[in-house]
Amino acid sequence: MRIMRAVVAAAVSTALLTGCVQGEDSPAEAPGGGDAVALRLDYAYYNPASLVLREQKWLENELQPKGVTVSWQLSAGSNKANEALRAEAIDVGSTAGAAALVARANGAPIKTIEVFSQPEWAAIVVPKDSPITGVAALKGTKVAATKGTDPYFFLLQALDEAGLKPGDVTVTNLQHADGKTALERGDVDAWAGLDPLMATSERDAGSKLIYRNVAFNSYGVLNAREAFLAEHPDLAQAVVNAYEKARQWIKDNPVEAVALYAREAKISEQVATAVLTERTKIDVDPVPGAAQRAVFEKILPVLVADANVKSEADARAAIDTLFEPKYATARSVS
């Protein structure tokens, strides 16, 4: 009996460690038995279209009759989305464009298949009573940032523009929500912030944005694993089409979009309105290409200087191979 209990316990432990215990958003078994084809997506509070798509269940309704299950995993930042893609935990993930570039330059087999927004989601933030009013004054200070994400790359560009080097500040590598907390507690002098957390900190804690520059934000993009694209190009097209439907829904239903965003991201409608209407341009060309490449060319020198990529040659090779425009080019909204 003790042996049997040990075997059962070991089996349960193995299932937990390997993620085989089905969760709320895990793919289910196909109707009629057998393994279903699984489409695994991320959703993120910096990607409002993903919240619409997840709530409306358009993909689930379209794909279930074809034996395809859809599951969702929360990405707390571009770095987490890239980690999930590299680990093959998701098939399609949403990141900043620069984060996708760095991931590919460092060997991640991903392709950018759609541009879902042009956001101004990053800025340099200080506490309400801070004497710091510009980037140059950050020299010698502690700055919270999430490495591998647009706010961190925004920080690098802002420092460079102000004549500072990354080593002129002490970067405290914290996930976005923890960076907000550190700023509000006074544990750091500044924060390379991300919306909607940044807008929430402005409203609730009086935090101040001391430097903004929409050109330093590198678009919101969808990335897919190359193996997934090779095996399931039809599902990749379905995802892009659904994202186009979600973007159109946001444009057609601004009041409902704000309410949904506020509810899902657990933010006030005031903050949701600011982020969606003032800092997020949804109406952009979804085909990845020249616009994103132009941003990458500007940011490349600071990425190389800070050793975010192995070499300039790797970064340029990534720029040349990252985009897969055919899915967004063939998009349709049904």
Side-chain angles (χ1 to χ4, degrees):
M1 182 63 68
R2 286 196 300 271
I3 293 175
M4 180 61 70
R5 283 198 297 267
V7 169
V8 171
V12 171
S13 177
T14 299
L16 290 170
L17 288 171
T18 57
C20 292
V21 176
Q22 185 170 311
E24 180 183 353
D25 278 337
S26 299
E29 187 178 81
D35 293 332
V37 174
L39 171 60
R40 301 164 303 169
L41 306 165
D42 81 337
Y43 67 102
Y45 301 140
Y46 53 82
N47 177 4
S50 71
L51 305 180
V52 172
L53 194 53
R54 183 168 176 261
E55 182 183 76
Q56 297 291 337
K57 297 188 181 301
W58 291 322
L59 279 169
E60 288 86 342
N61 294 336
E62 175 189 350
L63 297 176
Q64 183 181 19
K66 302 176 183 178
V68 178
T69 61
V70 178
S71 63
W72 298 89
Q73 176 174 311
L74 177 65
S75 289
S78 294
N79 60 324
K80 295 302 182 183
N82 278 328
E83 287 173 11
L85 285 165
R86 187 183 286 273
E88 300 184 10
I90 58 174
D91 303 305
V92 181
S94 48
T95 74
L101 170 66
V102 169
R104 181 152 184 102
N106 289 322
I110 61 172
K111 291 278 193 179
T112 294
I113 60 174
E114 185 184 55
V115 180
F116 59 78
S117 71
Q118 184 184 18
E120 187 193 359
W121 52 23
I124 305 300
V125 191
V126 297
K128 64 178 181 179
D129 297 325
S130 173
I132 298 172
T133 58
V135 176
L138 292 176
K139 187 173 183 178
T141 65
K142 291 175 62 177
V143 183
T146 308
K147 291 190 175 182
T149 70
D150 233 22
Y152 178 66
F153 303 137
F154 184 98
L155 173 64
L156 294 181
Q157 294 175 89
L159 292 173
D160 182 68
E161 184 182 64
L164 300 180
K165 298 178 181 179
D168 288 329
V169 301
T170 299
V171 175
T172 302
N173 187 21
L174 297 171
Q175 201 60 48
H176 300 298
D178 297 325
K180 171 180 176 291
T181 299
L183 180 84
E184 293 174 359
R185 287 179 177 173
D187 297 335
V188 295
D189 301 294
W191 169 46
L194 179 73
D195 273 331
L197 294 166
M198 185 167 65
T200 299
S201 188
E202 280 186 279
R203 193 198 71 154
D204 295 348
S207 302
K208 299 180 294 186
L209 275 56
I210 62 165
Y211 184 72
R212 298 171 66 174
N213 188 336
V214 68
F216 283 0
N217 292 262
S218 63
Y219 289 86
V221 300
L222 285 185
N223 309 301
R225 296 186 301 108
E226 288 186 299
F228 168 75
L229 294 177
E231 294 167 8
H232 301 292
D234 56 329
L235 294 185
Q237 188 65 63
V239 171
V240 168
N241 292 347
Y243 257 88
E244 286 303 290
K245 188 173 182 178
R247 293 202 306 146
Q248 188 62 49
W249 187 90
I250 291 173
K251 289 187 285 185
D252 292 344
N253 303 275
V255 175
E256 293 87 344
V258 165
L260 186 156
Y261 189 25
R263 182 174 65 253
E264 290 296 312
K266 298 177 177 61
I267 56 179
S268 71
E269 291 203 1
Q270 177 186 352
V271 168
T273 299
V275 174
L276 271 180
T277 65
E278 299 172 19
R279 301 182 186 175
T280 304
K281 185 179 180 182
I282 293 291
D283 192 13
V284 295
D285 185 352
V287 181
Q292 291 71 45
R293 186 184 184 100
V295 173
F296 295 166
E297 291 287 352
K298 291 179 181 178
I299 195 175
L300 189 147
V302 296
L303 296 180
V304 173
D306 192 51
N308 285 271
V309 295
K310 296 175 183 177
S311 68
E312 182 176 345
D314 289 325
R316 292 203 172 278
I319 291 176
D320 291 337
T321 59
L322 177 63
F323 303 138
E324 178 46 86
K326 67 180 182 181
Y327 298 100
T329 299
R331 66 192 180 276
S332 65
V333 180
S334 57

